[in-house]
Amino acid sequence: MSIEIRAPNMAGTGSRPSEEGLMKPMRGPGGMNGMDGAHDEPMLASTLLSHSMPSDDPYNPMNLPLHRKIYTSFCAWLFAATVAFGATCFTAGKADFVVDFNLGNGIPVSFIAGLSLYLWGIAFAPIWTPHVAERTGRSPIYLIGLPVCGLFILGAGLSHSLAGVLVCRFFAGLTGGPCLVLIEGTFADMWSAEMTNTYYAFLGTAAYFGASLGPLVGGYLIKATDNWRWTQYFNVILIAAVILFGMGQSETYQREIPRRRARSSGKSRKEFIRTQDPALSGVTVGEMLRVTVLDAITGPFTDPVVALSTLILLFNFAVVFQWFISVPAALGTPPPMGPGFTIDRIGLAIGLTGTVGSTCAALMSITIEQITTGRLMKMFSSTPASTPAIEYRLIPAMIGQFLITASLFWIGFTVNPNFHPTVPIIGTAIYIFGNASIIISVIPYLFDAFPPAGTLSALTSAASGRILFAGMMPMVILYDITALTPKWAFGIFGFISIAMWPIPFLLFRYGPIWRARSRFSRAPMGVGEGVAMHRKVPSHDSEMTGYENGAMRA
């Protein structure tokens, strides 16, 4: 879910680009990297070095000891998973919530809004989080955002008015959302950009594991306490434990690290910040709004790469969150129309489908990258200036799209008393498998689709858009299923998913051409006319601190 601009990787880079080279449009040698040679391939955003620290700098997060990398990565994973857990654990308390607020029978919209508003709060996080991180680093946002999220969740649990619960749920998502935004940047700071799909496969499971374990844990809490408020109280306890565990995480943002070193050496942080390059996400409020609001809104309507990527993510993310409403409704229906599962068994079903499906997707994506990377590097080794195009990252999405279609028809035709409940449950796991494969594939593709400002706008479109739609679908899914029957409701989703099949293949075939012609690729590296477009030598920020050991290289 993250859209933070990634601190680029200098590991393995033998020389720095000249200032003149940084001022030129981002074009790399080697044409289309062997795709069709029709035009120059835009330089990967992850290779842009305008804010990188030297590769031999011991403070470079790429050079952290392995145990520190693992610990900091796991902290980010836990923070993100905990926020996702908070979204869905709430859904397990439906029965008691309805009675507590006298909402009538069934699953009322007022209850579903507790899930949707939390998601809509998260949807705003990609808009403001990058700008704050540019100025404070990542670790303060983790360590402030999650506790504030916990306070709002506690407020929801203590509130005795429906409006109070819903307002607190929204602000819990708004303040916890940055943890889901920052995780990708944290991983990219420490791990090689050549293995983007591999590390994203791991970090991508955070949201799926958290969201899937929410109903599982919530089901057992409700069975033990018969009180929906404990879904919120337990979440607060979990947040406190994660914060304590994550207190020692390292700051990894390569723009922030030199600032802290300057301050520790007695220099004024404010004065040092003035010597740094302007933030790539914008300096003035107008520039920041342009990158993460205006361009994010217009991108899907003006750029084919952003449009297709956002479209496929919108559909798949919207469908995945409706399971947290439709699965309990289907499995909890008493015989003869349903199996009459208890809330703990329903949670177990959701937990297993989410964790198993996302794990399979992660393993498949890692395997594909490990196999293809070696072969592709050999293929392009004859032309040293060329590297495999980032479109090869889309291979898992090509496979996942077919799994989604098969699973939707599978579920639609088996959610009835003629089939054992495990049959549609297996189909749901297959859907998560396909859905996670697309997320793990398309988001890393957008990482490097454009220069940083354009990438940030594209990822904001994808992140905010898919979460907004994810919050909308649960509000209407039960009405759709009731009016159309599961066969037709999920069948319609299945037919829509067929229309999505060409998207990964179109991006693979025409993505390099579209990216080269994109206004995001042609735009200067700065973000506005008011910002100086001249980028300094990449290690400038680090050099200004004056290393204690004097280990500097030109």
Side-chain angles (χ1 to χ4, degrees):
M1 286 194 190
S2 161
I3 46 69
E4 173 65 38
I5 290 181
R6 304 193 301 163
N9 174 19
M10 279 196 68
T13 303
S15 61
R16 291 180 269 167
S18 65
E19 183 171 359
E20 178 183 2
L22 288 171
M23 292 163 54
K24 294 179 179 179
M26 295 180 64
R27 303 292 179 192
M32 288 280 296
N33 292 338
M35 293 294 287
D36 63 10
H39 62 278
D40 288 338
E41 174 76 355
M43 185 184 297
L44 300 185
S46 59
T47 61
L48 179 65
L49 307 179
S50 60
H51 289 309
S52 290
M53 301 172 67
S55 59
D56 59 352
D57 185 347
Y59 291 92
N60 189 325
M62 289 285 180
N63 298 327
L64 286 173
L66 180 60
H67 71 277
R68 290 297 302 175
K69 286 187 177 183
I70 293 174
Y71 167 71
T72 301
S73 298
F74 189 52
C75 287
W77 192 96
L78 284 176
F79 275 67
T82 302
V83 173
F85 178 92
T88 58
C89 185
F90 171 83
T91 63
K94 184 267 297 183
D96 184 65
F97 186 91
V98 169
V99 173
D100 195 4
F101 291 101
N102 193 25
L103 299 178
N105 298 321
I107 304 181
V109 172
S110 299
F111 170 73
I112 299 174
L115 169 64
S116 295
L117 285 169
Y118 190 98
L119 295 175
W120 288 336
I122 294 175
F124 285 95
I127 297 174
W128 62 270
T129 303
H131 307 301
V132 176
E134 283 275 11
R135 291 151 181 82
T136 67
R138 308 192 200 280
S139 56
I141 301 178
Y142 281 118
L143 296 174
I144 295 175
L146 191 60
V148 176
C149 172
L151 291 176
F152 280 112
I153 290 176
L154 180 61
L158 295 174
S159 179
H160 290 280
S161 71
L162 180 61
V165 173
L166 299 182
V167 168
C168 285
R169 291 284 296 174
F170 172 81
F171 282 102
L174 182 66
T175 54
C179 297
L180 291 164
V181 173
L182 292 173
I183 182 174
E184 292 165 5
T186 299
F187 273 68
D189 290 340
M190 296 182 291
W191 304 100
S192 171
E194 284 73 24
M195 308 302 288
T196 298
N197 274 39
T198 294
Y199 73 68
Y200 194 89
F202 175 72
L203 73 88
T205 60
Y208 286 97
F209 271 57
S212 300
L213 293 176
L216 173 60
V217 175
Y220 286 103
L221 287 171
I222 294 299
K223 186 177 182 180
T225 66
D226 198 28
N227 187 343
W228 73 270
R229 298 180 188 278
W230 270 100
T231 63
Q232 306 303 284
Y233 300 154
F234 180 85
N235 200 358
V236 174
I237 295 171
L238 179 62
I239 286 173
V242 170
I243 292 171
L244 289 174
F245 180 82
M247 290 293 290
Q249 65 179 301
S250 302
E251 174 58 56
T252 63
Y253 191 31
Q254 296 189 27
R255 184 172 171 84
E256 173 64 16
I257 293 172
R259 298 172 185 161
R260 298 190 180 184
R261 294 167 65 187
R263 183 176 58 186
S264 64
S265 63
K267 297 181 180 179
S268 167
R269 177 183 173 90
K270 184 179 295 186
E271 289 297 324
F272 178 77
I273 289 176
R274 293 176 181 174
T275 68
Q276 288 188 306
D277 297 337
L280 290 175
S281 61
V283 175
T284 67
V285 173
E287 291 160 356
M288 290 186 279
L289 289 175
R290 173 188 167 189
V291 173
T292 56
V293 178
L294 181 60
D295 285 350
I297 292 174
T298 59
F301 302 98
T302 59
D303 187 276
V305 170
V306 179
L308 293 177
S309 299
T310 302
L311 178 61
I312 194 172
L313 293 173
L314 285 184
F315 171 76
N316 288 296
F317 227 67
V319 175
V320 77
F321 268 92
Q322 60 84 25
W323 299 125
F324 298 103
I325 299 299
S326 61
V327 169
L331 296 182
T333 303
M337 297 306 296
F341 277 13
T342 58
I343 189 64
D344 55 319
R345 293 188 67 190
I346 293 172
L348 180 62
I350 296 177
L352 287 176
T353 56
T355 54
V356 171
S358 58
T359 299
C360 290
L363 293 175
M364 182 186 74
S365 297
I366 292 172
T367 301
I368 289 175
E369 182 168 72
Q370 295 299 318
I371 293 174
T372 58
T373 297
R375 293 182 178 179
L376 291 174
M377 293 308 295
K378 290 180 180 179
M379 182 188 308
F380 292 98
S381 61
S382 58
T383 54
S386 297
T387 56
I390 62 171
E391 277 68 26
Y392 286 97
R393 296 177 184 175
L394 295 169
I395 294 175
M398 299 175 184
I399 300 172
Q401 196 59 47
F402 296 111
L403 294 175
I404 283 177
T405 301
S407 65
L408 288 171
F409 285 114
W410 177 333
I411 296 165
F413 280 88
T414 59
V415 180
N416 62 67
N418 297 325
F419 292 88
H420 192 276
T422 57
V423 177
I425 288 174
I426 293 172
T428 304
I430 295 174
Y431 178 86
I432 300 296
F433 185 176
N435 178 277
S437 298
I438 291 174
I439 296 291
I440 290 171
S441 181
V442 174
I443 297 299
Y445 171 67
L446 287 177
F447 276 172
D448 288 317
F450 308 107
T455 289
L456 180 56
S457 299
L459 289 173
T460 302
S461 297
S464 295
R466 72 179 188 262
I467 300 171
L468 287 171
F469 272 74
M472 292 178 187
M473 186 60 69
M475 302 286 285
V476 300
I477 187 61
L478 292 183
Y479 298 100
D480 291 344
I481 293 176
T482 302
L484 300 174
T485 73
K487 180 184 297 185
W488 280 105
F490 291 106
I492 289 174
F493 287 150
F495 286 116
I496 294 175
S497 71
I498 292 176
M500 302 287 174
W501 283 0
I503 291 179
F505 298 94
L506 288 173
L507 289 173
F508 185 85
R509 177 62 183 85
Y510 298 105
I513 299 174
W514 289 335
R515 289 190 291 114
R517 296 174 179 174
S518 172
R519 64 186 179 91
F520 292 134
S521 294
R522 293 195 302 268
M525 287 198 211
V527 294
E529 289 74 8
V531 177
M533 300 302 170
H534 299 280
R535 293 295 165 204
K536 301 174 185 178
V537 176
S539 61
H540 177 84
D541 295 341
S542 297
E543 289 172 355
M544 291 298 294
T545 64
Y547 294 172
E548 291 80 357
N549 59 9
M552 296 293 299
R553 290 187 181 179

